[in-house]
Amino acid sequence: MIITTSRKPSQRTRSFARDLERTLNIPYIQRGKTPLKELFKIDDHILLIGEFKGNPGSLMIYDVENEKTLSSFISVKLQKEICGEKIENKNGIRIKIDKEIDEETLPYIDLFDKFLFQHLNVNEESNIILKLEKDPKYLFSIQFYKGRVKIGPLIRIKSIKLFDSLV
């Protein structure tokens, strides 16, 4: 899996992409004028960060192999806004689901599992935790922790749609 952004991302969107690169240990490729079809040749799974009014506003996860796209609208808080430092992750990530997640939200989490989480370097011994949490205003939130300390970024999932095509 690789991370990229829209063609001319704002500084905040680039910072969010770098935060994800560090915490998920996935390469970030600056897109520039590169068409998506060229990126599809590099990897079968692409995480594209779109923006709304200069802020990261969407995550598009492309599954080239199965010709499906998962689209979600998001709001974010960057690592520097949560913990004030850049956290590096070199040995995988541990995934936890909050006990308060309701049955209604589980199908959305299953979609994220299929499109994103299965393509991460999951390591149950890692001290970096990706935690799926209940959020009263949103479908759910993805928060990163190092031990019990929030390190960011925080991703709030507003909505999710599944498409049977890539573009």
Side-chain angles (χ1 to χ4, degrees):
M1 176 168 272
I2 59 173
I3 299 169
T4 193
T5 60
S6 54
R7 287 183 182 244
K8 292 183 180 179
S10 66
Q11 179 58 47
R12 186 169 169 79
T13 300
R14 284 194 306 272
S15 293
F16 176 60
R18 293 279 184 211
D19 286 354
L20 286 179
E21 176 185 42
R22 283 190 301 274
T23 53
L24 296 176
N25 198 13
I26 296 175
Y28 164 55
I29 296 178
Q30 293 183 7
R31 185 168 167 206
K33 294 182 179 180
T34 308
L36 275 176
K37 289 183 181 186
E38 290 298 314
L39 293 176
F40 293 158
K41 294 176 186 173
I42 297 172
D43 201 305
D44 281 347
H45 298 90
I46 310 285
L47 174 61
L48 181 119
I49 302 167
E51 56 183 33
F52 180 72
K53 295 185 179 179
N55 292 302
S58 67
L59 290 179
M60 302 285 286
I61 305 169
Y62 295 95
D63 180 350
V64 178
E65 190 177 355
N66 296 313
E67 295 189 10
K68 294 192 182 288
T69 304
L70 183 71
S71 172
S72 56
F73 289 104
I74 61 169
S75 87
V76 302
K77 275 192 179 179
L78 303 177
Q79 250 183 10
K80 64 184 176 185
E81 296 167 347
I82 293 176
C83 71
E85 60 183 295
K86 295 177 181 176
I87 306 292
E88 295 285 336
N89 176 11
K90 299 286 185 204
N91 81 3
I93 199 151
R94 193 168 12 149
I95 299 174
K96 286 190 171 183
I97 299 175
D98 192 349
K99 293 176 185 168
E100 294 179 17
I101 295 287
D102 55 16
E103 294 292 322
E104 207 172 278
T105 308
L106 285 175
Y108 298 114
I109 290 175
D110 287 344
L111 280 173
F112 260 80
D113 181 42
K114 182 179 177 183
F115 278 81
L116 178 62
F117 305 148
Q118 286 186 5
H119 306 288
L120 301 177
N121 177 16
V122 176
N123 177 356
E124 291 303 318
E125 303 297 316
S126 177
N127 63 349
I128 303 290
I129 301 165
L130 180 157
K131 190 171 181 185
L132 304 162
E133 301 176 328
K134 185 176 172 111
D135 195 313
K137 291 184 177 179
Y138 304 95
L139 290 176
F140 62 94
S141 293
I142 300 171
Q143 175 66 69
F144 293 88
Y145 291 85
K146 187 170 188 176
R148 293 184 175 177
V149 178
K150 291 181 181 181
I151 59 168
L154 168 64
I155 307 168
R156 292 182 176 124
I157 309 297
K158 296 178 181 180
S159 68
I160 298 175
K161 290 186 181 177
L162 181 62
F163 297 98
D164 288 329
S165 65
L166 290 176
V167 185

PDB file of all heavy atoms in Angstrom, residues 94-120:
ATOM      1  N   ARG A  94      -0.441  -2.246  16.152  1.00  0.00           N
ATOM      2  CA  ARG A  94      -1.419  -3.100  16.802  1.00  0.00           C
ATOM      3  C   ARG A  94      -2.793  -2.459  16.618  1.00  0.00           C
ATOM      4  O   ARG A  94      -2.921  -1.246  16.736  1.00  0.00           O
ATOM      5  CB  ARG A  94      -1.094  -3.210  18.295  1.00  0.00           C
ATOM      6  CG  ARG A  94      -1.838  -4.291  18.993  1.00  0.00           C
ATOM      7  CD  ARG A  94      -1.336  -4.614  20.377  1.00  0.00           C
ATOM      8  NE  ARG A  94      -0.389  -3.679  20.949  1.00  0.00           N
ATOM      9  CZ  ARG A  94      -0.285  -3.433  22.243  1.00  0.00           C
ATOM     10  NH1 ARG A  94      -1.078  -4.029  23.091  1.00  0.00           N
ATOM     11  NH2 ARG A  94       0.608  -2.578  22.697  1.00  0.00           N
ATOM     12  N   ILE A  95      -3.804  -3.241  16.308  1.00  0.00           N
ATOM     13  CA  ILE A  95      -5.152  -2.711  16.081  1.00  0.00           C
ATOM     14  C   ILE A  95      -6.065  -3.163  17.213  1.00  0.00           C
ATOM     15  O   ILE A  95      -6.104  -4.342  17.555  1.00  0.00           O
ATOM     16  CB  ILE A  95      -5.715  -3.175  14.724  1.00  0.00           C
ATOM     17  CG1 ILE A  95      -4.819  -2.662  13.595  1.00  0.00           C
ATOM     18  CG2 ILE A  95      -7.156  -2.713  14.540  1.00  0.00           C
ATOM     19  CD1 ILE A  95      -5.190  -3.159  12.222  1.00  0.00           C
ATOM     20  N   LYS A  96      -6.771  -2.197  17.804  1.00  0.00           N
ATOM     21  CA  LYS A  96      -7.734  -2.496  18.873  1.00  0.00           C
ATOM     22  C   LYS A  96      -9.069  -1.845  18.543  1.00  0.00           C
ATOM     23  O   LYS A  96      -9.107  -0.743  18.002  1.00  0.00           O
ATOM     24  CB  LYS A  96      -7.246  -1.947  20.217  1.00  0.00           C
ATOM     25  CG  LYS A  96      -6.131  -2.725  20.839  1.00  0.00           C
ATOM     26  CD  LYS A  96      -5.911  -2.228  22.251  1.00  0.00           C
ATOM     27  CE  LYS A  96      -4.946  -3.117  22.987  1.00  0.00           C
ATOM     28  NZ  LYS A  96      -4.770  -2.690  24.364  1.00  0.00           N
ATOM     29  N   ILE A  97     -10.144  -2.517  18.899  1.00  0.00           N
ATOM     30  CA  ILE A  97     -11.495  -1.970  18.728  1.00  0.00           C
ATOM     31  C   ILE A  97     -12.063  -1.690  20.106  1.00  0.00           C
ATOM     32  O   ILE A  97     -12.065  -2.562  20.981  1.00  0.00           O
ATOM     33  CB  ILE A  97     -12.408  -2.945  17.949  1.00  0.00           C
ATOM     34  CG1 ILE A  97     -11.828  -3.200  16.561  1.00  0.00           C
ATOM     35  CG2 ILE A  97     -13.825  -2.402  17.859  1.00  0.00           C
ATOM     36  CD1 ILE A  97     -12.587  -4.230  15.743  1.00  0.00           C
ATOM     37  N   ASP A  98     -12.521  -0.473  20.299  1.00  0.00           N
ATOM     38  CA  ASP A  98     -13.118  -0.045  21.555  1.00  0.00           C
ATOM     39  C   ASP A  98     -14.327  -0.930  21.878  1.00  0.00           C
ATOM     40  O   ASP A  98     -15.113  -1.264  20.993  1.00  0.00           O
ATOM     41  CB  ASP A  98     -13.565   1.413  21.414  1.00  0.00           C
ATOM     42  CG  ASP A  98     -13.940   2.064  22.720  1.00  0.00           C
ATOM     43  OD1 ASP A  98     -14.070   1.357  23.747  1.00  0.00           O
ATOM     44  OD2 ASP A  98     -14.116   3.285  22.738  1.00  0.00           O
ATOM     45  N   LYS A  99     -14.481  -1.294  23.129  1.00  0.00           N
ATOM     46  CA  LYS A  99     -15.592  -2.145  23.557  1.00  0.00           C
ATOM     47  C   LYS A  99     -16.949  -1.468  23.381  1.00  0.00           C
ATOM     48  O   LYS A  99     -17.968  -2.123  23.326  1.00  0.00           O
ATOM     49  CB  LYS A  99     -15.408  -2.547  25.017  1.00  0.00           C
ATOM     50  CG  LYS A  99     -14.229  -3.451  25.230  1.00  0.00           C
ATOM     51  CD  LYS A  99     -14.021  -3.748  26.700  1.00  0.00           C
ATOM     52  CE  LYS A  99     -12.757  -4.560  26.869  1.00  0.00           C
ATOM     53  NZ  LYS A  99     -12.325  -4.654  28.242  1.00  0.00           N
ATOM     54  N   GLU A 100     -16.956  -0.132  23.285  1.00  0.00           N
ATOM     55  CA  GLU A 100     -18.218   0.595  23.174  1.00  0.00           C
ATOM     56  C   GLU A 100     -18.723   0.722  21.741  1.00  0.00           C
ATOM     57  O   GLU A 100     -19.775   1.306  21.501  1.00  0.00           O
ATOM     58  CB  GLU A 100     -18.060   1.984  23.792  1.00  0.00           C
ATOM     59  CG  GLU A 100     -17.818   1.938  25.280  1.00  0.00           C
ATOM     60  CD  GLU A 100     -17.649   3.324  25.884  1.00  0.00           C
ATOM     61  OE1 GLU A 100     -18.021   4.310  25.236  1.00  0.00           O
ATOM     62  OE2 GLU A 100     -17.150   3.388  27.013  1.00  0.00           O
ATOM     63  N   ILE A 101     -17.995   0.177  20.766  1.00  0.00           N
ATOM     64  CA  ILE A 101     -18.451   0.208  19.366  1.00  0.00           C
ATOM     65  C   ILE A 101     -19.731  -0.616  19.277  1.00  0.00           C
ATOM     66  O   ILE A 101     -19.781  -1.757  19.743  1.00  0.00           O
ATOM     67  CB  ILE A 101     -17.372  -0.364  18.415  1.00  0.00           C
ATOM     68  CG1 ILE A 101     -16.127   0.518  18.412  1.00  0.00           C
ATOM     69  CG2 ILE A 101     -17.917  -0.564  17.023  1.00  0.00           C
ATOM     70  CD1 ILE A 101     -16.259   1.835  17.698  1.00  0.00           C
ATOM     71  N   ASP A 102     -20.761  -0.045  18.674  1.00  0.00           N
ATOM     72  CA  ASP A 102     -22.041  -0.743  18.598  1.00  0.00           C
ATOM     73  C   ASP A 102     -22.136  -1.606  17.329  1.00  0.00           C
ATOM     74  O   ASP A 102     -21.338  -1.488  16.409  1.00  0.00           O
ATOM     75  CB  ASP A 102     -23.205   0.246  18.688  1.00  0.00           C
ATOM     76  CG  ASP A 102     -23.127   1.346  17.651  1.00  0.00           C
ATOM     77  OD1 ASP A 102     -22.371   1.214  16.680  1.00  0.00           O
ATOM     78  OD2 ASP A 102     -23.839   2.352  17.814  1.00  0.00           O
ATOM     79  N   GLU A 103     -23.140  -2.467  17.309  1.00  0.00           N
ATOM     80  CA  GLU A 103     -23.365  -3.393  16.189  1.00  0.00           C
ATOM     81  C   GLU A 103     -23.591  -2.651  14.875  1.00  0.00           C
ATOM     82  O   GLU A 103     -23.250  -3.151  13.818  1.00  0.00           O
ATOM     83  CB  GLU A 103     -24.574  -4.291  16.491  1.00  0.00           C
ATOM     84  CG  GLU A 103     -24.366  -5.237  17.649  1.00  0.00           C
ATOM     85  CD  GLU A 103     -23.342  -6.314  17.347  1.00  0.00           C
ATOM     86  OE1 GLU A 103     -23.307  -6.804  16.203  1.00  0.00           O
ATOM     87  OE2 GLU A 103     -22.562  -6.639  18.263  1.00  0.00           O
ATOM     88  N   GLU A 104     -24.155  -1.472  14.948  1.00  0.00           N
ATOM     89  CA  GLU A 104     -24.444  -0.661  13.771  1.00  0.00           C
ATOM     90  C   GLU A 104     -23.165  -0.205  13.059  1.00  0.00           C
ATOM     91  O   GLU A 104     -23.124  -0.061  11.845  1.00  0.00           O
ATOM     92  CB  GLU A 104     -25.230   0.573  14.256  1.00  0.00           C
ATOM     93  CG  GLU A 104     -26.146   1.190  13.276  1.00  0.00           C
ATOM     94  CD  GLU A 104     -26.973   2.255  13.985  1.00  0.00           C
ATOM     95  OE1 GLU A 104     -27.975   1.894  14.635  1.00  0.00           O
ATOM     96  OE2 GLU A 104     -26.602   3.433  13.885  1.00  0.00           O
ATOM     97  N   THR A 105     -22.112   0.017  13.823  1.00  0.00           N
ATOM     98  CA  THR A 105     -20.844   0.530  13.291  1.00  0.00           C
ATOM     99  C   THR A 105     -19.940  -0.573  12.770  1.00  0.00           C
ATOM    100  O   THR A 105     -19.098  -0.333  11.915  1.00  0.00           O
ATOM    101  CB  THR A 105     -20.110   1.329  14.392  1.00  0.00           C
ATOM    102  OG1 THR A 105     -21.020   2.303  14.919  1.00  0.00           O
ATOM    103  CG2 THR A 105     -18.894   2.040  13.871  1.00  0.00           C
ATOM    104  N   LEU A 106     -20.108  -1.793  13.236  1.00  0.00           N
ATOM    105  CA  LEU A 106     -19.214  -2.892  12.867  1.00  0.00           C
ATOM    106  C   LEU A 106     -19.106  -3.144  11.359  1.00  0.00           C
ATOM    107  O   LEU A 106     -18.005  -3.407  10.875  1.00  0.00           O
ATOM    108  CB  LEU A 106     -19.605  -4.171  13.599  1.00  0.00           C
ATOM    109  CG  LEU A 106     -19.217  -4.200  15.079  1.00  0.00           C
ATOM    110  CD1 LEU A 106     -19.747  -5.457  15.749  1.00  0.00           C
ATOM    111  CD2 LEU A 106     -17.728  -4.064  15.272  1.00  0.00           C
ATOM    112  N   PRO A 107     -20.182  -3.051  10.565  1.00  0.00           N
ATOM    113  CA  PRO A 107     -20.011  -3.242   9.114  1.00  0.00           C
ATOM    114  C   PRO A 107     -19.067  -2.216   8.477  1.00  0.00           C
ATOM    115  O   PRO A 107     -18.319  -2.542   7.553  1.00  0.00           O
ATOM    116  CB  PRO A 107     -21.430  -3.094   8.553  1.00  0.00           C
ATOM    117  CG  PRO A 107     -22.328  -3.391   9.699  1.00  0.00           C
ATOM    118  CD  PRO A 107     -21.595  -2.943  10.926  1.00  0.00           C
ATOM    119  N   TYR A 108     -19.064  -0.984   8.985  1.00  0.00           N
ATOM    120  CA  TYR A 108     -18.153   0.042   8.471  1.00  0.00           C
ATOM    121  C   TYR A 108     -16.706  -0.286   8.844  1.00  0.00           C
ATOM    122  O   TYR A 108     -15.790  -0.118   8.050  1.00  0.00           O
ATOM    123  CB  TYR A 108     -18.537   1.424   9.010  1.00  0.00           C
ATOM    124  CG  TYR A 108     -19.911   1.869   8.599  1.00  0.00           C
ATOM    125  CD1 TYR A 108     -20.923   2.037   9.525  1.00  0.00           C
ATOM    126  CD2 TYR A 108     -20.200   2.107   7.259  1.00  0.00           C
ATOM    127  CE1 TYR A 108     -22.192   2.456   9.139  1.00  0.00           C
ATOM    128  CE2 TYR A 108     -21.463   2.521   6.858  1.00  0.00           C
ATOM    129  CZ  TYR A 108     -22.451   2.692   7.807  1.00  0.00           C
ATOM    130  OH  TYR A 108     -23.700   3.089   7.417  1.00  0.00           O
ATOM    131  N   ILE A 109     -16.518  -0.764  10.056  1.00  0.00           N
ATOM    132  CA  ILE A 109     -15.181  -1.160  10.496  1.00  0.00           C
ATOM    133  C   ILE A 109     -14.697  -2.350   9.680  1.00  0.00           C
ATOM    134  O   ILE A 109     -13.522  -2.432   9.316  1.00  0.00           O
ATOM    135  CB  ILE A 109     -15.177  -1.429  12.012  1.00  0.00           C
ATOM    136  CG1 ILE A 109     -15.356  -0.104  12.754  1.00  0.00           C
ATOM    137  CG2 ILE A 109     -13.914  -2.147  12.441  1.00  0.00           C
ATOM    138  CD1 ILE A 109     -15.499  -0.203  14.237  1.00  0.00           C
ATOM    139  N   ASP A 110     -15.603  -3.277   9.365  1.00  0.00           N
ATOM    140  CA  ASP A 110     -15.241  -4.418   8.522  1.00  0.00           C
ATOM    141  C   ASP A 110     -14.774  -3.964   7.145  1.00  0.00           C
ATOM    142  O   ASP A 110     -13.832  -4.530   6.580  1.00  0.00           O
ATOM    143  CB  ASP A 110     -16.418  -5.391   8.373  1.00  0.00           C
ATOM    144  CG  ASP A 110     -16.684  -6.184   9.640  1.00  0.00           C
ATOM    145  OD1 ASP A 110     -15.803  -6.222  10.525  1.00  0.00           O
ATOM    146  OD2 ASP A 110     -17.791  -6.752   9.756  1.00  0.00           O
ATOM    147  N   LEU A 111     -15.417  -2.931   6.585  1.00  0.00           N
ATOM    148  CA  LEU A 111     -14.974  -2.383   5.295  1.00  0.00           C
ATOM    149  C   LEU A 111     -13.567  -1.802   5.407  1.00  0.00           C
ATOM    150  O   LEU A 111     -12.716  -2.039   4.548  1.00  0.00           O
ATOM    151  CB  LEU A 111     -15.941  -1.314   4.790  1.00  0.00           C
ATOM    152  CG  LEU A 111     -17.210  -1.798   4.115  1.00  0.00           C
ATOM    153  CD1 LEU A 111     -18.151  -0.631   3.835  1.00  0.00           C
ATOM    154  CD2 LEU A 111     -16.892  -2.533   2.825  1.00  0.00           C
ATOM    155  N   PHE A 112     -13.311  -1.041   6.468  1.00  0.00           N
ATOM    156  CA  PHE A 112     -11.975  -0.492   6.665  1.00  0.00           C
ATOM    157  C   PHE A 112     -10.960  -1.607   6.871  1.00  0.00           C
ATOM    158  O   PHE A 112      -9.820  -1.507   6.416  1.00  0.00           O
ATOM    159  CB  PHE A 112     -11.958   0.488   7.841  1.00  0.00           C
ATOM    160  CG  PHE A 112     -12.008   1.919   7.409  1.00  0.00           C
ATOM    161  CD1 PHE A 112     -13.208   2.503   7.044  1.00  0.00           C
ATOM    162  CD2 PHE A 112     -10.862   2.680   7.349  1.00  0.00           C
ATOM    163  CE1 PHE A 112     -13.264   3.814   6.629  1.00  0.00           C
ATOM    164  CE2 PHE A 112     -10.902   3.999   6.934  1.00  0.00           C
ATOM    165  CZ  PHE A 112     -12.101   4.570   6.569  1.00  0.00           C
ATOM    166  N   ASP A 113     -11.366  -2.674   7.541  1.00  0.00           N
ATOM    167  CA  ASP A 113     -10.475  -3.809   7.741  1.00  0.00           C
ATOM    168  C   ASP A 113     -10.096  -4.420   6.394  1.00  0.00           C
ATOM    169  O   ASP A 113      -8.924  -4.654   6.111  1.00  0.00           O
ATOM    170  CB  ASP A 113     -11.154  -4.855   8.632  1.00  0.00           C
ATOM    171  CG  ASP A 113     -10.253  -6.042   8.900  1.00  0.00           C
ATOM    172  OD1 ASP A 113      -9.050  -5.841   9.150  1.00  0.00           O
ATOM    173  OD2 ASP A 113     -10.750  -7.180   8.838  1.00  0.00           O
ATOM    174  N   LYS A 114     -11.085  -4.633   5.553  1.00  0.00           N
ATOM    175  CA  LYS A 114     -10.854  -5.256   4.246  1.00  0.00           C
ATOM    176  C   LYS A 114     -10.000  -4.370   3.330  1.00  0.00           C
ATOM    177  O   LYS A 114      -9.109  -4.857   2.646  1.00  0.00           O
ATOM    178  CB  LYS A 114     -12.199  -5.547   3.581  1.00  0.00           C
ATOM    179  CG  LYS A 114     -12.094  -6.227   2.242  1.00  0.00           C
ATOM    180  CD  LYS A 114     -13.470  -6.499   1.673  1.00  0.00           C
ATOM    181  CE  LYS A 114     -13.362  -7.107   0.296  1.00  0.00           C
ATOM    182  NZ  LYS A 114     -14.650  -7.319  -0.325  1.00  0.00           N
ATOM    183  N   PHE A 115     -10.265  -3.075   3.323  1.00  0.00           N
ATOM    184  CA  PHE A 115      -9.577  -2.171   2.401  1.00  0.00           C
ATOM    185  C   PHE A 115      -8.262  -1.610   2.944  1.00  0.00           C
ATOM    186  O   PHE A 115      -7.354  -1.316   2.176  1.00  0.00           O
ATOM    187  CB  PHE A 115     -10.493  -0.998   2.017  1.00  0.00           C
ATOM    188  CG  PHE A 115     -11.445  -1.338   0.920  1.00  0.00           C
ATOM    189  CD1 PHE A 115     -12.617  -2.021   1.186  1.00  0.00           C
ATOM    190  CD2 PHE A 115     -11.163  -1.002  -0.397  1.00  0.00           C
ATOM    191  CE1 PHE A 115     -13.500  -2.349   0.181  1.00  0.00           C
ATOM    192  CE2 PHE A 115     -12.033  -1.318  -1.420  1.00  0.00           C
ATOM    193  CZ  PHE A 115     -13.212  -1.999  -1.131  1.00  0.00           C
ATOM    194  N   LEU A 116      -8.159  -1.410   4.247  1.00  0.00           N
ATOM    195  CA  LEU A 116      -6.977  -0.744   4.792  1.00  0.00           C
ATOM    196  C   LEU A 116      -6.213  -1.609   5.788  1.00  0.00           C
ATOM    197  O   LEU A 116      -5.039  -1.912   5.578  1.00  0.00           O
ATOM    198  CB  LEU A 116      -7.377   0.578   5.446  1.00  0.00           C
ATOM    199  CG  LEU A 116      -6.266   1.392   6.106  1.00  0.00           C
ATOM    200  CD1 LEU A 116      -5.214   1.806   5.079  1.00  0.00           C
ATOM    201  CD2 LEU A 116      -6.838   2.613   6.805  1.00  0.00           C
ATOM    202  N   PHE A 117      -6.850  -2.024   6.856  1.00  0.00           N
ATOM    203  CA  PHE A 117      -6.139  -2.659   7.958  1.00  0.00           C
ATOM    204  C   PHE A 117      -5.435  -3.952   7.549  1.00  0.00           C
ATOM    205  O   PHE A 117      -4.363  -4.258   8.053  1.00  0.00           O
ATOM    206  CB  PHE A 117      -7.068  -2.912   9.143  1.00  0.00           C
ATOM    207  CG  PHE A 117      -7.779  -1.685   9.642  1.00  0.00           C
ATOM    208  CD1 PHE A 117      -9.043  -1.776  10.182  1.00  0.00           C
ATOM    209  CD2 PHE A 117      -7.196  -0.427   9.566  1.00  0.00           C
ATOM    210  CE1 PHE A 117      -9.709  -0.650  10.647  1.00  0.00           C
ATOM    211  CE2 PHE A 117      -7.846   0.712  10.022  1.00  0.00           C
ATOM    212  CZ  PHE A 117      -9.109   0.594  10.563  1.00  0.00           C
ATOM    213  N   GLN A 118      -6.025  -4.725   6.622  1.00  0.00           N
ATOM    214  CA  GLN A 118      -5.400  -5.977   6.184  1.00  0.00           C
ATOM    215  C   GLN A 118      -4.100  -5.735   5.423  1.00  0.00           C
ATOM    216  O   GLN A 118      -3.302  -6.650   5.258  1.00  0.00           O
ATOM    217  CB  GLN A 118      -6.355  -6.782   5.306  1.00  0.00           C
ATOM    218  CG  GLN A 118      -7.450  -7.441   6.072  1.00  0.00           C
ATOM    219  CD  GLN A 118      -8.300  -8.343   5.200  1.00  0.00           C
ATOM    220  OE1 GLN A 118      -8.030  -8.553   4.020  1.00  0.00           O
ATOM    221  NE2 GLN A 118      -9.354  -8.896   5.782  1.00  0.00           N
ATOM    222  N   HIS A 119      -3.880  -4.520   4.956  1.00  0.00           N
ATOM    223  CA  HIS A 119      -2.687  -4.214   4.168  1.00  0.00           C
ATOM    224  C   HIS A 119      -1.615  -3.507   4.994  1.00  0.00           C
ATOM    225  O   HIS A 119      -0.627  -3.035   4.448  1.00  0.00           O
ATOM    226  CB  HIS A 119      -3.077  -3.389   2.944  1.00  0.00           C
ATOM    227  CG  HIS A 119      -4.139  -4.058   2.134  1.00  0.00           C
ATOM    228  ND1 HIS A 119      -3.890  -5.178   1.368  1.00  0.00           N
ATOM    229  CD2 HIS A 119      -5.463  -3.819   2.017  1.00  0.00           C
ATOM    230  CE1 HIS A 119      -5.010  -5.579   0.795  1.00  0.00           C
ATOM    231  NE2 HIS A 119      -5.973  -4.773   1.181  1.00  0.00           N
ATOM    232  N   LEU A 120      -1.831  -3.447   6.288  1.00  0.00           N
ATOM    233  CA  LEU A 120      -0.850  -2.848   7.187  1.00  0.00           C
ATOM    234  C   LEU A 120       0.041  -3.936   7.762  1.00  0.00           C
ATOM    235  O   LEU A 120      -0.324  -5.118   7.783  1.00  0.00           O
ATOM    236  CB  LEU A 120      -1.557  -2.113   8.331  1.00  0.00           C
ATOM    237  CG  LEU A 120      -2.507  -0.984   7.960  1.00  0.00           C
ATOM    238  CD1 LEU A 120      -3.164  -0.420   9.204  1.00  0.00           C
ATOM    239  CD2 LEU A 120      -1.779   0.095   7.188  1.00  0.00           C
TER     240      LEU A 120
END
